[in-house]
Amino acid sequence: MFKLSKESEDFVKKELSRYEAKYSAIIPSLFRVQKDHGWVPPEAVSVLAKLMEIPEAHINEVLYFYTMFNKRPVGKIHAQVCCNISCAMNGGRELADALCKSFNVQDGVMSADGKITVSRVECLGSCDTAPMMQVNDRYIENLTPELAVRKLKEMGA
Amino acid sequence: MPKIKINGNEVEVPQGSTIIQAFKATGVEICHYCWHPGLSVAGVCRLCMVQIEGMPKLQIACNTEVKEGMVINNTSDVVKETVRWGLDFHLINHPLDCPICDQAGECGLQDQYMKFGQYDPEMAENKVKKHKVVDLGPTVVLDSERCILCSRCVRFTDEVSKTNELGIFNRGDRCEIGTVAGKPLANNYSLNTVDICPVGALTSKDFRFRQRVWYLKEADSICPGCSTGCNVKVNYNEEGLWRIRPRENKEVNGHWMCDVGRDSYKFVNLKNRLVAGKVGQRGSWQEVTATDAARSAGLKLRETVAQHGPDSVALVVTGQYTNEEYHRLFTFFTVNLESNNIFHWMNNPETTKDFDGLLFRGDRNPNTKGVVDALGSFALKAKWEDLQSQLSSRKIKVVVVAGPENQAVFPDMTEKITFFAQAESMIWLTAGQSEALNQTGAETWQIPLKTYIEKSGSFTNVQGKVQTFKVGTTIVAQAFTLSEVVELFSGQELNWNLRPHSLGGVKTNYSIANRGAL
C-alpha cells in the first residue's frame, strides 16, 4: 500500500496553500512523489486525490499529459529521447529506436536488470541542438546513435 | 438588449449571451461540436468560427460575448474555408467506420460534414490506432478511435453529475477518453454522455446494434419512471419501443434524464403486456376479449352495488395514471356508484421524499401529486386502514384495482394482490402480466390497459407542474385507458371506428441475437 511520507504530505499541503487555484499544486505534488519513489504509482494518485480534494481523473489527466512524469518504474539510467518536431526532423525517432535496439529494451520499459530505461518524450526545449536526449538530469545534445550509445555506456548502462 | 447583425439580419439578443446562443436563438445554422447548451464552454473544436466586422481574425462563436452593434457573419468564404479545414482535421484520426457505427444517422460528425465539410479529404497520414471496444461501465461502451475529443462527456461528469469519472488522458493525437485505473463509469446519469456524444465514441449497451436510427420514429412523451416527470422522446418502430431519450425542458429536467428512467420503455413492449381480457381464478383463466371482460366486470360491479349497497365495492388506484383518467374513474365511482371507497396505493411510502439532488426521486410514480389532488377535489378521505378492516370483515365484495403500469417499481405487488384477494371478486386493471394473480382465490377479471405512450393525458409532477402528452404509438390495440374502461363499466359503448391497430411485436433476428453481450 502506497503511503506518502510525512515530509511529502507537508510539502503538498504547503503547495496547496501557495496557489490561488489548488489545481496549480498538482504538478509540484506529482514531482514530489516522483522524486521520492522514482515514478508515480497509480495508488499515489488516489492518495494525492484524497489529500488535495481533487478528483482522481483530473490528477491523472495532468500525469498522463506530461512525459516528464514516469508512469512506470524507470532504471538507474533514464534516457529520454526527444521525438518532437525539431529532433524528429533530425533523426530523433531513429535515435530512440537505435538505443532501444542496442540496449535490448522496449520503449518506456525498464530493462530486466533495472539499469536502463529508454523512452520517447515530447519536446525538451533544446531544439537548437537536435537531436538530443536527457539522461537523468543532464542534457546530452547534438547526438548520433553511435555517440548516444557510447555516452550511455560510459555512464554505466 | 444589444442589437447585432447576423448574416445581414438585425436581431436583438439578451445581454451577456454568446454569439452561438444568438445564432441558435435566431435559428441560423452554425457548425459546432464541443458547445452544448447544458454545459460550460470549452472552445476546443474550433468549428463555430465567425467573422466579426472590425476584428482581424475569426473568432469562435461559443466563447465570444455579443456586444452592441456587432456585425457577424458565418457565410463568408474565409469562414467556410476555415470550417472545411477544421472538419478535415477532425477526421485525421477518425476511422470513418460509419457503416458499422451505431451512431450513423444521428452523428454530429456526419451531419456537420455533409453540411459544411469539403467532401474530398486531403489527409494522407496513417491514422493513430486506439482502443476500439472499451467497456466503460454497466451502461456505456467507448470507441476511442471515433472520439474527436470534444470533452462534452468529461464536462458532463464534472459539471452535471459531479462524479468526475471521466478524463482525457495522454497528449496530442494519442489523447483518449477514459476512467481512472479502469474504474467504471457507473452513475445514474451515465447514458447522458451517450446522448451528448456528437460521434459514435460513446454508445449505449442497451441500444447498440439493436436498430438503425433512421428506421425509428420519434414521439414526445413524459417519463413515467418517477415523480420528476422528465420530458422525453421515445423511439419506436413497428416492433415496439427501443429507447427513451431526454427532451429539453428548462423547468423540469434541463437536457438530461436518468438511466433508470431510460428503462421505462421495456414494460411497454408486447412480451410484457397483457394482450387480452382474462376471467377466472387460481390460475385457470378463460381468455376473452378485453371488451367482454370489461363489460362483464362492469355488470358484476353494478349488480353488487344494487344488491349490497355502494359500500360493498372499493377502488384502489396507484399514482401511475393520468389526471383525466382519475377524474373519469372517480366520477364514475362517486356519482354513478355513489361509493366513496377510493383508496390510494402507495408503493414506496418510505422513499417518497428521497431526491438525489439532480432528477431522480424516490417516488417512482409519475402522477402521485395528480392522484392526491384528485382525491382531494372529490373530498375523498378514505384511509388505507379502512380498506384493511373492510376487506377482512368481508364488507367489500368487489375491489377494483387500477394496478401498476410499471411493475418493477412495485416491490409489494404480490403481497398486495394477496391482500386484495380477500374480497370475493377483484377487477384488476393493468398493462402488464402479473404472475401473482395465479395464486389468488378471488374471482378475477384482468383487463388490459394502455401504457403512457399509447394514450393522451397529463401528469402532475412533484413541482405541481401539469405536463400533457399525446399518443405516440399503440402496442396493444385491445387495451383501454381507464376512461374507456369506465365507459364499458357503466354499460356504454366505445367508438369502435377510432380504435387503433396493434404493432407486430419484436421479431428476433437470430444472427444478431447471438452476437454476444457487448
Side-chain angles (χ1 to χ4, degrees):
Chain A
M1 187 62 211
F2 177 88
K3 215 172 169 312
L4 268 185
S5 68
K6 184 78 189 67
E7 295 81 46
S8 301
E9 208 177 305
D10 291 343
F11 174 82
V12 172
K13 280 179 185 157
K14 210 178 108 215
E15 288 296 310
L16 276 173
S17 63
R18 200 171 138 187
Y19 301 106
E20 211 170 297
K22 59 183 174 185
Y23 281 72
S24 306
I26 294 179
I27 289 182
S29 306
L30 285 173
F31 259 122
R32 178 72 186 211
V33 172
Q34 176 155 315
K35 212 172 134 202
D36 291 353
H37 295 267
W39 66 297
V40 186
E43 305 86 60
V45 175
S46 315
V47 172
L48 281 182
K50 208 170 269 175
L51 183 63
M52 303 172 78
E53 291 169 350
I54 293 175
E56 283 181 35
H58 293 181
I59 297 184
N60 252 21
E61 281 181 328
V62 176
L63 175 67
Y64 279 84
F65 184 84
Y66 292 105
T67 50
M68 291 81 173
F69 293 121
N70 303 327
K71 271 76 80 179
R72 295 182 198 182
V74 292
K76 220 171 265 169
I77 292 173
H78 185 198
Q80 304 179 61
V81 185
C82 174
C83 291
N84 226 305
I85 298 175
S86 309
C87 288
M89 287 167 74
N90 282 297
R93 294 175 191 165
E94 290 78 8
L95 175 66
D97 290 344
L99 288 183
C100 285
K101 208 171 161 200
S102 57
F103 292 100
N104 197 20
V105 287
Q106 274 179 311
D107 171 27
V109 182
M110 184 170 64
S111 65
D113 55 5
K115 263 189 186 166
I116 188 168
T117 304
V118 179
S119 48
R120 290 173 165 216
V121 297
E122 302 291 344
C123 188
L124 292 169
S126 188
C127 302
D128 55 327
T129 58
M132 57 80 66
M133 66 178 176
Q134 179 185 347
V135 180
N136 297 347
D137 289 335
R138 257 187 70 197
Y139 274 16
I140 306 179
E141 298 162 316
N142 293 319
L143 290 173
T144 60
E146 297 76 36
L147 182 63
V149 171
R150 204 179 74 220
K151 288 270 186 191
L152 286 175
K153 284 208 166 130
E154 276 169 18
M155 291 169 150
Chain B
M1 297 262 284
K3 277 197 184 113
I4 58 169
K5 256 187 174 176
I6 292 179
N7 294 346
N9 301 322
E10 197 155 285
V11 291
E12 215 170 312
V13 290
Q15 183 76 39
S17 51
T18 55
I19 294 178
I20 202 163
Q21 283 168 336
F23 269 78
K24 287 277 159 188
T26 48
V28 184
E29 262 183 9
I30 184 164
C31 184
H32 68 89
Y33 286 126
C34 67
W35 180 79
H36 186 279
L39 299 171
S40 66
V41 172
V44 293
C45 75
R46 318 305 294 182
L47 287 178
C48 57
M49 291 289 187
V50 288
Q51 199 168 25
I52 303 168
E53 220 160 76
M55 291 206 188
K57 287 196 167 184
L58 300 183
Q59 304 292 321
I60 49 171
C62 64
N63 206 17
T64 314
E65 216 173 275
V66 292
K67 292 274 156 25
E68 181 64 43
M70 262 188 179
V71 181
I72 306 160
N73 84 76
N74 73 335
T75 46
S76 69
D77 287 345
V78 58
V79 174
K80 281 183 179 165
E81 187 74 354
T82 313
V83 172
R84 267 204 288 272
W85 275 103
L87 275 161
D88 241 35
F89 276 104
H90 277 291
L91 287 181
I92 293 180
N93 288 315
H94 188 85
L96 287 174
D97 53 354
C98 308
I100 58 155
C101 177
D102 216 46
Q103 190 88 359
E106 53 178 4
C107 170
L109 199 51
Q110 272 183 336
D111 293 349
Q112 312 275 17
Y113 202 81
M114 296 316 269
K115 277 186 206 152
F116 307 104
Q118 69 172 355
Y119 283 58
D120 187 15
E122 293 177 33
M123 292 297 169
E125 300 291 310
N126 284 338
K127 292 184 191 266
V128 177
K129 293 270 174 277
K130 293 181 191 172
H131 297 100
K132 205 63 184 150
V133 187
V134 184
D135 187 0
L136 267 194
T139 52
V140 182
V141 185
L142 166 70
D143 183 323
S144 280
E145 285 188 349
R146 291 179 189 151
C147 176
I148 56 163
L149 299 165
C150 68
S151 81
R152 275 183 181 184
C153 54
V154 179
R155 279 177 283 148
F156 178 83
T157 54
D158 283 355
E159 294 161 12
V160 182
S161 72
K162 298 201 171 64
T163 42
N164 306 102
E165 288 117 331
L166 292 172
I168 299 178
F169 305 120
N170 291 332
R171 173 166 170 167
D173 58 2
R174 294 181 307 281
C175 269
E176 274 184 59
I177 299 284
T179 54
V180 177
K183 281 180 196 160
L185 169 66
N187 62 63
N188 191 20
Y189 295 90
S190 55
L191 279 171
N192 286 303
T193 61
V194 175
D195 288 340
I196 58 177
C197 183
V199 294
L202 295 170
T203 42
S204 153
K205 272 188 193 170
D206 186 46
F207 181 70
R208 75 194 230 123
F209 305 138
R210 296 271 188 271
Q211 285 296 319
R212 275 308 199 179
V213 293
W214 53 85
Y215 293 132
L216 295 177
K217 293 180 193 120
E218 198 165 271
D220 290 351
S221 192
I222 303 292
C223 175
C226 79
S227 57
T228 302
C230 292
N231 291 216
V232 296
K233 42 193 182 186
V234 177
N235 284 126
Y236 64 95
N237 63 4
E238 68 280 2
E239 296 181 10
L241 266 54
W242 292 97
R243 67 171 171 186
I244 297 184
R245 289 186 302 162
R247 179 160 54 94
E248 188 192 344
N249 185 340
K250 284 205 177 70
E251 289 163 31
V252 181
N253 57 316
H255 302 268
W256 323 115
M257 74 180 288
C258 70
D259 291 4
V260 174
R262 281 170 208 259
D263 279 345
S264 56
Y265 75 90
K266 289 179 180 161
F267 65 83
V268 176
N269 278 340
L270 197 59
K271 70 168 187 207
N272 299 321
R273 294 290 294 278
L274 186 63
V275 291
K278 283 180 180 176
V279 184
Q281 64 195 101
R282 289 207 190 281
S284 69
W285 299 107
Q286 190 200 347
E287 209 157 283
V288 294
T289 63
T291 327
D292 288 346
R295 276 184 192 136
S296 66
L299 200 61
K300 171 80 186 173
L301 202 58
R302 280 178 282 142
E303 274 173 3
T304 312
V305 172
Q307 274 176 21
H308 303 278
D311 283 343
S312 61
V313 293
L315 171 67
V316 177
V317 289
T318 54
Q320 304 240 319
Y321 298 94
T322 63
N323 294 329
E324 293 73 13
E325 286 171 306
Y326 290 137
H327 189 267
R328 188 73 188 85
L329 195 56
F330 292 178
T331 311
F332 172 67
F333 252 75
T334 53
V335 178
N336 297 36
L337 301 183
E338 293 172 348
S339 167
N340 283 334
N341 279 343
I342 300 182
F343 303 92
H344 180 201
W345 173 4
M346 292 280 279
N347 54 327
N348 38 14
E350 316 77 43
T351 61
T352 299
K353 293 268 181 290
D354 290 2
F355 181 44
D356 71 350
L358 194 48
L359 293 173
F360 184 65
R361 287 175 203 271
D363 179 9
R364 303 288 309 280
N365 294 300
N367 206 11
T368 300
K369 192 150 176 32
V371 68
V372 171
D373 288 353
L375 288 168
S377 70
F378 281 83
L380 296 162
K381 294 193 189 67
K383 290 203 180 64
W384 192 256
E385 293 78 43
D386 303 343
L387 178 65
Q388 253 157 349
S389 61
Q390 289 179 40
L391 271 176
S392 47
S393 67
R394 309 275 166 194
K395 209 174 146 202
I396 293 176
K397 311 282 183 206
V398 183
V399 56
V400 182
V401 187
E405 182 175 303
N406 182 3
Q407 295 182 4
V409 302
F410 280 72
D412 58 346
M413 199 174 82
T414 312
E415 179 198 320
K416 283 290 187 322
I417 284 176
T418 325
F419 168 65
F420 298 139
Q422 294 172 49
E424 279 169 25
S425 313
M426 170 158 67
I427 300 171
W428 181 257
L429 308 164
T430 184
Q433 300 166 12
S434 340
E435 281 297 312
L437 287 171
N438 294 339
Q439 316 301 328
T440 59
E443 186 188 15
T444 306
W445 283 264
Q446 288 190 55
I447 299 170
L449 288 189
K450 285 177 177 170
T451 55
Y452 66 101
I453 194 68
E454 298 163 284
K455 62 191 176 193
S456 302
S458 63
F459 288 148
T460 309
N461 79 352
V462 71
Q463 304 159 299
K465 205 172 145 57
V466 179
Q467 306 194 90
T468 53
F469 53 93
K470 293 205 172 94
V471 179
T473 180
T474 299
I475 313 284
V476 180
Q478 282 204 20
F480 299 121
T481 64
L482 280 180
S483 313
E484 288 167 340
V485 170
V486 168
E487 296 291 318
L488 291 168
F489 275 2
S490 50
Q492 290 165 14
E493 284 302 314
L494 299 175
N495 185 349
W496 297 106
N497 296 328
L498 298 178
R499 301 300 296 166
H501 295 288
S502 285
L503 293 187
V506 179
K507 297 178 208 93
T508 311
N509 180 341
Y510 285 97
S511 61
I512 294 174
N514 300 327
R515 201 155 55 188
L518 203 71

